[in-house]
Amino acid sequence: MIEAGVASFIEGRVMILIATRNDAHRPMIGRATGARFDSANGRISLLVSASQWPDAVAHAMPETPISATFVKPDNYKAYQIKGPIIEVREADDIDQARGSQYVNDMLAEMGALGVSRLQLSSTLSDRNLVRITFFPRDLFVQTPGPEAGRRLGATGSRPQ
């Protein structure tokens, strides 16, 4: 379901918004600190700060849905990917290094666009990272304009 171009996009310098939900289906919003697509198993892993986004992380549980929206900040090109969470665990040292690199990259990217480090301090964090892995089931274009909301590809089926 995730083609190479989309995989490269979501692993690049993009802002990542996530949503889980509580038992009443109320959305719990947060931001991810980097994403990885594993082409071997078709899964996407997101790093999320549990201290910065406690509600979103608290409701990220296996078999519950997650939505992740990936937005390139200089042109608003965007994709939204939805699917069931497979695993939630503490970030390991490799994840932590990736999360820290993501924060540094995004500070540079956003700084070049005139957004200050202070403005980003409430959205970018590499503290207390949790790795949330999900299986992408639905992929949508979300770039503002006539294509927004268009589904891409067939609905994904979960590998056994």
Side-chain angles (χ1 to χ4, degrees), residues 9-18 30-36 45-49 53 69-73 94-110 120 123-126 129:
F9 182 86
I10 69 173
E11 292 180 343
R13 289 184 172 194
V14 293
M15 298 300 286
I16 308 166
L17 296 90
I18 68 160
R31 290 188 182 262
T33 305
R36 290 279 179 225
S45 292
L46 305 167
L47 299 172
V48 181
S49 170
W53 309 105
T69 303
F70 305 85
V71 181
K72 191 156 177 17
I94 294 170
D95 294 330
Q96 186 61 51
R98 287 181 177 153
S100 296
Q101 184 63 52
Y102 172 87
V103 169
N104 289 333
D105 289 348
M106 291 312 296
L107 287 172
E109 184 81 14
M110 298 301 284
L120 295 169
T123 59
L124 293 174
S125 175
D126 60 356
L129 293 178

Side-chain angles (χ1 to χ4, degrees), residues 29-152:
I29 306 299
R31 290 188 182 262
T33 305
R36 290 279 179 225
F37 174 68
D38 185 336
S39 62
N41 62 26
R43 297 175 179 177
I44 295 172
S45 292
L46 305 167
L47 299 172
V48 181
S49 170
S51 56
Q52 189 117 15
W53 309 105
D55 292 334
V57 171
H59 291 89
M61 294 178 281
E63 301 301 324
T64 63
I66 189 167
S67 169
T69 303
F70 305 85
V71 181
K72 191 156 177 17
D74 65 340
N75 63 13
Y76 292 105
K77 180 176 180 178
Y79 293 103
Q80 183 180 54
I81 304 172
K82 299 178 180 182
I85 294 171
I86 296 169
E87 178 184 48
V88 180
R89 66 169 175 78
E90 277 187 45
D92 61 20
D93 291 343
I94 294 170
D95 294 330
Q96 186 61 51
R98 287 181 177 153
S100 296
Q101 184 63 52
Y102 172 87
V103 169
N104 289 333
D105 289 348
M106 291 312 296
L107 287 172
E109 184 81 14
M110 298 301 284
L113 297 172
V115 181
S116 73
R117 184 176 289 261
L118 179 61
Q119 290 171 306
L120 295 169
S121 65
S122 64
T123 59
L124 293 174
S125 175
D126 60 356
R127 291 178 293 131
N128 303 319
L129 293 178
V130 171
R131 182 179 177 146
I132 301 171
T133 301
F134 72 101
F135 180 74
R137 185 169 284 161
D138 297 298
L139 168 63
F140 301 91
V141 173
Q142 290 298 0
T143 306
E147 295 291 312
R150 183 171 61 89
R151 183 185 300 268
L152 292 177

